[in-house]
């Protein structure tokens, strides 16, 4: 009967903790899992596996990972949130070209609709001359689902 070595136990605990991150996301378990894997690798490299040394290393390394890497991992795993996209942060609309589909004629000089990315959008311009259907316009701003455009 073979016994499980200390480094294998630490590695197993590390992988279980990382797996728990998928069940209960919050970016906490992963850092303790990384700490346990680090201890397992250090024991494999030669640090003593008995006594309290592995537990002190586990605590320090896990806390270090948590404090130093959580913000980076959070951005990496979650990306931009829907609210960040809606506010226009890093808005990739600005500077793009759209095509006038309706409106902007006499009497409706400031409002109309444009086609952008295969969808119709309400649009507004501060320019005083009318835009014709088919004209290309440049998107200069966005307010929720209203595009602010200028003639090209």
């Amino acid at each position: 009967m073979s016994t499980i070595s200390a480094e294998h136990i630490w590695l197993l605990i590390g992988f279980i903790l990382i797996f728990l991150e998928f069940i209960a996301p919050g970016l906490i378990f992963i850092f303790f899992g990384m700490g346990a894997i680090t201890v397992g690798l250090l024991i494999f490299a030669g640090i003593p596996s008995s006594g309290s040394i592995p537990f002190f290393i586990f605590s320090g390394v896990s806390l270090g990972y948590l404090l130093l890497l959580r913000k980076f991992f959070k951005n990496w795993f979650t990306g931009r949130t829907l609210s960040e996209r809606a506010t226009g942060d890093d808005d990739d609309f600005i500077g793009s070209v759209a095509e006038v589909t309706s409106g902007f004629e006499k009497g409706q000089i400031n409002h109309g609709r444009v086609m952008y990315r295969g969808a119709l959008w309400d649009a507004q311009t501060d320019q005083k001359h009318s835009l014709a259907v088919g004209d290309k316009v440049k998107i200069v701003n966005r307010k929720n689902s209203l595009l602010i455009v200028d003639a090209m």
Side-chain angles (χ1 to χ4, degrees), residues 125-145:
T125 184
D126 292 331
Q127 296 178 334
K128 298 302 177 196
H129 60 83
S130 64
L131 297 168
V133 172
D135 285 353
K136 301 291 184 197
V137 291
K138 181 178 179 180
I139 300 170
V140 294
N141 201 354
R142 186 181 99 188
K143 296 178 183 172
N144 296 321
S145 63

Side-chain angles (χ1 to χ4, degrees), residues 11-144:
L11 292 172
L12 180 63
I13 291 170
F15 287 117
I16 289 171
L17 287 168
I18 290 173
F19 177 73
L20 282 175
E21 186 67 47
F22 293 106
I23 295 171
L27 285 176
I28 299 293
F29 289 116
I30 194 167
F31 300 108
F32 290 102
M34 289 170 45
I37 290 171
T38 302
V39 170
L41 294 174
L42 288 172
I43 291 172
F44 183 72
I47 69 160
S49 62
S50 61
S52 58
I53 293 173
F55 295 103
F56 284 122
I57 293 173
F58 170 71
S59 300
V61 168
S62 296
L63 186 61
Y65 285 151
L66 181 66
L67 295 175
L68 295 174
L69 298 177
R70 187 163 193 260
K71 184 175 182 179
F72 170 75
F73 272 54
K74 188 173 183 178
N75 289 337
W76 188 38
F77 281 111
T78 60
R80 294 188 316 172
T81 63
L82 184 59
S83 63
E84 287 172 339
R85 288 186 202 128
T87 62
D89 292 345
D90 298 323
D91 203 352
D92 60 347
F93 283 64
I94 297 173
S96 298
V97 176
E99 182 178 332
V100 174
T101 59
S102 65
F104 297 109
E105 297 103 16
K106 292 180 183 175
Q108 293 182 351
I109 294 175
N110 291 333
H111 298 284
R113 292 184 58 87
V114 297
M115 177 71 72
Y116 177 64
R117 292 185 179 171
L120 290 173
W121 293 78
D122 290 325
Q124 176 181 335
T125 184
D126 292 331
Q127 296 178 334
K128 298 302 177 196
H129 60 83
S130 64
L131 297 168
V133 172
D135 285 353
K136 301 291 184 197
V137 291
K138 181 178 179 180
I139 300 170
V140 294
N141 201 354
R142 186 181 99 188
K143 296 178 183 172
N144 296 321

